[in-house]
Amino acid sequence: MGAKDCIFCKIADGSIPSSRVFEDSTLVAFNDLNPQAPTHILIVPREHIDSLDKAAESHTAILGHLLLTAADIARAKGFSNNGYRVVVNTNGDGGQTVFHLHVHLLAGRPFIFPPG
Ligand code: AMP
Ligand code: ZN
């Protein structure tokens, strides 16, 4: 059961289409509609959590699983050696636009730090 009108809840339950690259019982991973790198994948928990700011101790396992899944996908796609960028934009100054917690996996080009 997702939050009403949340686009990532709808992607997770399949009522909005996406290009899925991985899913399991607790999360889904799909290609970003507006990619910022040759590979740009979003990894989202099936449970609605507004943002990292709203994550609680009870989310410890899913937060770890989101990160390990990002690493698994990156490894499976052959990016381990060259590297990749994992990002969690949070609230306004963090550049968050969709308020359902998600991990960006960006790969396939070098990234500068700090980001803009
Ligand atoms: P953020 O700015 O961190 O909240 O990231 C939201 C991301 O969701 C952006 O990179 C968007 O391009 C992406 N996005 C928004 N709607 C969709 C969608 N329907 N399918 C795939 N990606 C989406
Ligand atoms: Zn949601």
Side-chain angles (χ1 to χ4, degrees), residues 65-87:
H65 189 45
L66 289 167
L67 286 180
L68 290 171
T69 299
D72 286 346
I73 293 170
R75 193 179 311 108
K77 289 185 173 293
F79 293 118
S80 293
N81 219 30
N82 281 356
Y84 50 89
R85 177 71 56 84
V86 170
V87 174

Side-chain angles (χ1 to χ4, degrees), residues 7-8 30-34 42 89 95-98 102 104:
I7 190 170
F8 286 177
F30 52 92
N31 289 308
D32 196 292
L33 212 53
N34 182 24
L42 301 175
N89 295 327
Q96 185 175 4
T97 60
V98 176
H102 52 281
H104 294 257

